[in-house]
């Protein structure tokens, strides 16, 4: 089956889709994006993703490409056209096409591109083994709260993890973890507190983070939104990450040392189960 993609109002076979070489997303990474999970053909927490998209656009004075209603209709049609039951929907908005110049163009139409990826998001084999993570310096820019496509630093970080035989990297600034290359980072302390960095310009406000922290509180687990150090990871009972595509994923080894007993911990497993069990209630379309 040929994958259909969406480009500025058109649904096209992926090999027929075209983007201008003058698109500012291509030239300057002047673009923002969102990734929503598809379960049973429905998008999970899509409204929250669209609210974050609106915020990213507003922080960059970028116009929305269309109304939310039109956007949702296009998302829905793309999922249907590709018959995706389980996987991801990627959407990207760029400032559009203009002759190359650093200042924002006075007139340009935002461009909207979307594609789907079929993927087993629930039955991820890493759930059973857990992830190995290494620490790397956080070399990203200072507005990580904006979800831009300027992702070269996280790509370099992820590759350095792969080269080190690990699965991912947590980025460290001033001795404290900011987040994972494409996920939020958590530890469970010896006294069973879930610790994750507070929101701010240093990290992305994960949609999965918001959902999981709410579930944790409902399950009477104590949540501390505070930056943690590498020493705290070494003394943690367990660790995990969250993202739209990974849900809650246990971390069992950090910088070559096992966390706890080196196996996925009960709290990460419990939160993953709640997240999956409630996903259908959060299916927005
Ligand atoms: N932090 C970063 C840097 C990310 O790239 C992502 C995933 N895009 C996240 C956190 C997790 O966000 P979400 O739960 O919305 O997928």
């Amino acid at each position: 089956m040929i994958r259909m993609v969406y480009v500025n109002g058109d649904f096209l076979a992926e090999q027929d889709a075209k983007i201008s070489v003058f698109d500012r997303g291509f030239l300057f990474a002047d673009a923002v994006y969102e990734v929503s999970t598809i379960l049973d053909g429905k998008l999970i927490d899509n409204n929250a993703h669209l609210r974050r998209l609106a915020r990213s656009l507003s922080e960059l004075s970028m116009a929305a490409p269309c109304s939310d209603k039109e956007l949702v209709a296009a998302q829905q049609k793309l999922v249907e056209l590709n018959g995706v039951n389980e996987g991801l929907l990627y959407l990207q908005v760029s400032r559009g096409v203009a002759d190359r110049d650093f200042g924002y163009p006075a007139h340009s139409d935002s461009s909207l591109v979307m594609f789907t990826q079929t993927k087993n998001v629930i039955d991820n084999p890493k759930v059973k083994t857990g992830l190995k993570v290494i620490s790397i310096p956080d070399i990203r820019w200072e507005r990580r709260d904006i979800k831009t496509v300027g992702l070269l630093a996280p790509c370099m970080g992820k590759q350095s993890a792969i080269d080190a035989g690990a699965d991912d990297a947590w980025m460290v600034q001033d001795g404290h973890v900011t987040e994972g290359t494409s996920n939020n980072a958590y530890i469970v302390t010896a006294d069973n507190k879930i610790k994750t960095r507070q929101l701010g310009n240093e990290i992305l406000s994960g949609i999965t983070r918001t959902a999981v922290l709410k579930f944790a509180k409902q399950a009477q687990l104590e949540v501390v939104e505070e930056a943690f150090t590498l020493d705290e990871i070494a003394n943690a009972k367990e660790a995990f990450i969250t993202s739209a595509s990974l849900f809650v994923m246990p971390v069992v080894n950090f910088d070559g040392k096992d966390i706890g007993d080196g196996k996925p911990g009960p709290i990460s497993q419990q939160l993953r189960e709640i997240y999956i069990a409630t996903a259908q209630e959060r299916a927005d379309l």
Side-chain angles (χ1 to χ4, degrees), residues 33-35 49 52 140 144 147 151 154 171 179-186 203-210 242-247 275:
Y33 75 107
E34 285 295 330
V35 180
H49 283 282
R52 186 172 63 187
R140 298 174 299 162
R144 303 160 196 158
K147 196 165 167 61
L151 293 171
M171 296 177 279
E179 57 189 333
T181 56
S182 59
N183 43 68
N184 290 113
Y186 308 73
I203 64 166
L204 184 73
S205 173
I207 303 302
T208 322
R209 178 187 184 280
T210 305
T242 64
S243 76
S245 55
L246 293 176
F247 305 160
Y275 185 88

Side-chain angles (χ1 to χ4, degrees), residues 74-137:
Q75 288 181 300
Q76 205 156 18
K77 184 166 172 193
L78 192 64
V79 172
E80 277 167 24
L81 279 176
N82 289 311
V84 185
N85 190 51
E86 191 174 328
L88 307 170
L89 185 143
Y90 177 94
L91 76 82
Q92 176 171 325
V93 178
S94 87
R95 203 180 301 274
V97 176
D99 231 15
R100 187 176 181 279
D101 194 356
F102 280 62
Y104 299 167
H107 306 287
S108 68
D109 293 327
S110 299
S111 98
L112 172 61
V113 171
M114 297 196 281
F115 58 82
T116 55
Q117 286 179 317
T118 296
K119 202 174 160 189
N120 283 340
V121 278
I122 292 185
D123 286 328
N124 186 325
K126 291 282 180 186
V127 176
K128 289 202 175 69
T129 58
L131 302 179
K132 286 184 182 169
V133 169
I134 59 165
S135 61
I136 56 168

